[in-house]
Amino acid sequence: MKELLDLFWTFARIGGLTFGGGYAMLPILQREVVEKRRWVTDEELMDYYAIGQCTPGVIAVNTATFVGQKTKGLAGGIVATLGVVFPSLVIITVIAGFIQNFADLEIVKNAFAGIRVCVCVLIVNAVIKLLKSSVVDKETLVIYAAVSVGAILTSVSPIVFVLLAGVAGILLQKWKGRASK
């Protein structure tokens, strides 16, 4: 029970302190569940994040579900999901009651503009950390470059990129295996 409460409060804290959506949550998730608690590895977190992006629902919720399930099974998945959603539910309910009264104030607009910039920096920092552990050789650099160019130049669904990158990873591994024989 103690572990389930720890899961709930960890994800409630992450959910309550992350502004800007699932991508902004990545550096906090990495610090809390990989570095601090060691519930998952960097690679597992990246896998959960990629799958979470391709499955229906919110990336942060999906990722919390995967981490919780890995940590404490079905109960862990449910508890982590409830934890990450709980703060947002409370905060959004309160804000919804008051936002119309304050949305047009210049100070509120400026605050949101500053928060958006901060979230961008947090996302870039998370991407750099993940990039260092993901692009480990020439083959993964080629996959990274191809997906980057494709994502910038097209409006193809992220699901397609994830599937193609997975196939490319499999094919490159087979090719490397044959080349080494």
Side-chain angles (χ1 to χ4, degrees), residues 108-128:
V108 173
K109 290 178 184 178
N110 292 337
F112 280 125
I115 290 170
R116 282 191 298 271
V117 171
C118 178
V119 167
C120 288
V121 171
L122 294 174
I123 292 169
V124 168
N125 187 39
V127 167
I128 290 169

Side-chain angles (χ1 to χ4, degrees), residues 72-148:
K72 294 302 287 179
L74 179 62
I78 293 169
V79 166
T81 302
L82 291 174
V84 80
V85 169
F86 181 72
S88 297
L89 181 64
V90 172
I91 292 167
I92 293 300
T93 302
V94 170
I95 290 174
F98 297 102
I99 192 73
Q100 294 301 338
N101 299 331
F102 302 105
D104 293 328
L105 294 177
E106 200 62 31
I107 192 168
V108 173
K109 290 178 184 178
N110 292 337
F112 280 125
I115 290 170
R116 282 191 298 271
V117 171
C118 178
V119 167
C120 288
V121 171
L122 294 174
I123 292 169
V124 168
N125 187 39
V127 167
I128 290 169
K129 283 183 180 180
L130 292 174
L131 190 63
K132 288 178 183 177
S133 63
S134 297
V135 180
V136 294
D137 54 20
K138 291 176 185 174
E139 291 82 8
T140 53
L141 179 61
V142 169
I143 293 171
Y144 169 79
V147 171
S148 294

Side-chain angles (χ1 to χ4, degrees), residues 17-178:
L17 298 176
T18 305
F19 297 89
Y23 295 113
M25 191 174 283
L26 190 54
I28 297 171
L29 273 170
Q30 200 272 338
R31 185 177 58 244
E32 287 292 322
V33 304
V34 175
E35 293 174 9
K36 188 174 177 184
R37 290 185 169 67
R38 303 201 188 285
W39 286 336
V40 296
T41 64
D42 272 325
E43 292 77 19
E44 288 172 320
L45 182 61
M46 285 185 290
D47 291 344
Y48 296 156
Y49 218 71
I51 294 168
Q53 186 174 19
C54 296
T55 53
V58 180
I59 297 169
V61 173
N62 294 344
T63 304
T65 305
F66 292 137
V67 171
Q69 192 279 329
K70 185 207 183 246
T71 305
K72 294 302 287 179
L74 179 62
I78 293 169
V79 166
T81 302
L82 291 174
V84 80
V85 169
F86 181 72
S88 297
L89 181 64
V90 172
I91 292 167
I92 293 300
T93 302
V94 170
I95 290 174
F98 297 102
I99 192 73
Q100 294 301 338
N101 299 331
F102 302 105
D104 293 328
L105 294 177
E106 200 62 31
I107 192 168
V108 173
K109 290 178 184 178
N110 292 337
F112 280 125
I115 290 170
R116 282 191 298 271
V117 171
C118 178
V119 167
C120 288
V121 171
L122 294 174
I123 292 169
V124 168
N125 187 39
V127 167
I128 290 169
K129 283 183 180 180
L130 292 174
L131 190 63
K132 288 178 183 177
S133 63
S134 297
V135 180
V136 294
D137 54 20
K138 291 176 185 174
E139 291 82 8
T140 53
L141 179 61
V142 169
I143 293 171
Y144 169 79
V147 171
S148 294
V149 169
I152 291 168
L153 298 179
T154 70
S155 59
V156 173
S157 169
I159 295 170
V160 173
F161 288 121
V162 171
L163 293 174
L164 290 175
V167 169
I170 291 168
L171 293 175
L172 286 171
Q173 191 62 32
K174 284 187 178 195
W175 177 73
K176 283 172 75 175
R178 288 188 182 149

